[in-house]
């Protein structure tokens, strides 16, 4: 699987946390244009990660390979301060985290990807969803943190198709996220049986099945 590397932007004279953050599995056929572009192509899929994990988690689970085999361009990144990405001052604020994901999409050439956000990465993904939901073809929420920080009315304004996914043994963040995210108009729910908070680790096959089912119904 090819690994690409790019240097990140400089913010206040420092590397902004994007060095060696790009890990990409390319589709078997690109047909001369990025996946997710016009012409009926499948959307690109961008994976964030939880606090105890990195982009390598998705590689080790085989998630990137599973999606690539189905014709998707799947990309996982290390968030600032995790894995191979150094800390970045820009992500201290909510606005900075939105700008960070804006930059990531631009650097990766992703026009309207599906954003996959487990746990801690909700600090990045949720404000981006609320501010830039029209830039996403879909959103996959895997028991993300921070869902209670936003009002039901804010969620109701989001038109992005959303999969709310969690393990049935996740007694805290899973149900808490569902309670808030159920206000998203275009949501569907998938519960992974016999799985905890990191349901993708406990039941990767069930997770992949639910994820692919959601991706296939996106237009």
């Amino acid at each position: 699987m090819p690994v690409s590397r790019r240097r990140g932007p400089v913010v206040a004279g420092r590397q902004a946390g994007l060095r060696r953050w790009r890990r990409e599995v390319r589709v078997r056929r690109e047909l001369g244009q990025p996946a997710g572009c016009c012409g009926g192509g499948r959307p690109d899929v961008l994976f964030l990660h939880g606090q105890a994990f990195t982009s390598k988690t998705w590689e080790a689970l085989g998630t990137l390979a599973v999606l690539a085999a189905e014709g998707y361009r799947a990309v996982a990144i290390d968030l600032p301060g995790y894995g191979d990405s150094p800390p970045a001052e820009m992500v201290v604020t909510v606005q900075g985290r939105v700008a960070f994901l804006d930059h990531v999409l631009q650097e990766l050439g992703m026009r309207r990807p599906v954003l996959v956000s487990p746990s801690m990465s909700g600090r990045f993904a949720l404000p981006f969803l609320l501010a830039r939901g029209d830039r996403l073809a879909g959103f996959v929420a895997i028991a993300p943190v921070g869902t209670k920080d936003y009002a039901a009315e804010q969620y109701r304004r989001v038109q992005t198709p959303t999969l709310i996914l969690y393990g049935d043994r996740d007694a805290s963040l899973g149900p808490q996220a569902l309670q808030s995210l159920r206000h998203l108009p275009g949501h569907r729910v998938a519960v992974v049986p016999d799985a905890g908070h990191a349901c993708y680790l406990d039941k990767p096959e069930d997770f992949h099945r639910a994820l692919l089912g959601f991706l296939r119904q996106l237009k």
Side-chain angles (χ1 to χ4, degrees), residues 61 192-196 198-209:
L61 276 177
V192 180
D194 300 318
C199 60
Y200 44 90
L201 286 182
D202 295 338
K203 289 294 188 71
E205 290 185 2
D206 289 346
F207 168 74
H208 291 152
R209 189 178 303 113

Side-chain angles (χ1 to χ4, degrees), residues 21-27 34-37 41-49 55 58-59 62-78 101 104-105 108-118 135-142 161 163 165 207-208 210-218:
W21 50 264
R22 186 179 178 188
R23 297 180 183 274
E24 177 181 344
V25 176
R26 298 186 186 277
V27 296
C37 188
R42 295 172 175 85
D44 295 338
V45 185
L46 178 63
F47 289 86
L48 307 183
H49 60 80
S55 62
W58 301 114
E59 190 174 43
T63 303
L64 303 184
V66 166
L67 266 62
E70 292 290 329
Y72 294 92
R73 178 190 179 207
V75 181
I77 65 169
D78 289 335
L101 285 182
V104 168
L105 298 190
L108 290 172
M110 291 182 164
R111 296 181 61 180
R112 290 189 72 237
V114 173
L115 183 61
V116 181
S117 172
R135 292 197 57 192
L136 297 174
F139 179 60
V140 180
I142 311 173
L163 174 63
L165 183 63
F207 168 74
H208 291 152
L211 177 59
L212 285 171
F214 174 70
L215 293 176
R216 288 168 182 152
Q217 57 87 42
L218 293 175

Side-chain angles (χ1 to χ4, degrees), residues 96-206:
R97 292 191 288 276
V98 171
F100 171 81
L101 285 182
D102 260 331
H103 177 89
V104 168
L105 298 190
Q106 181 180 0
E107 287 293 305
L108 290 172
M110 291 182 164
R111 296 181 61 180
R112 290 189 72 237
V114 173
L115 183 61
V116 181
S117 172
S119 197
M120 175 278 296
S121 66
R123 294 176 58 245
F124 290 79
L126 289 174
F128 189 85
L129 174 71
L130 295 175
R132 307 277 196 274
D134 59 341
R135 292 197 57 192
L136 297 174
F139 179 60
V140 180
I142 311 173
V145 303
T147 56
K148 294 172 65 177
D149 295 342
Y150 305 98
E153 185 56 38
Q154 291 175 279
Y155 288 119
R156 291 191 186 104
R157 291 196 290 265
V158 176
Q159 299 301 311
T160 308
T162 298
L163 174 63
I164 303 170
L165 183 63
Y166 64 98
D168 65 355
R169 293 182 178 176
D170 184 354
S172 56
L173 278 176
Q176 182 183 109
L178 176 62
Q179 191 68 18
S180 297
L181 297 178
R182 63 186 174 87
H183 296 292
L184 291 167
H187 80 270
R188 58 189 289 188
V189 180
V191 181
V192 180
D194 300 318
H197 180 57
C199 60
Y200 44 90
L201 286 182
D202 295 338
K203 289 294 188 71
E205 290 185 2
D206 289 346

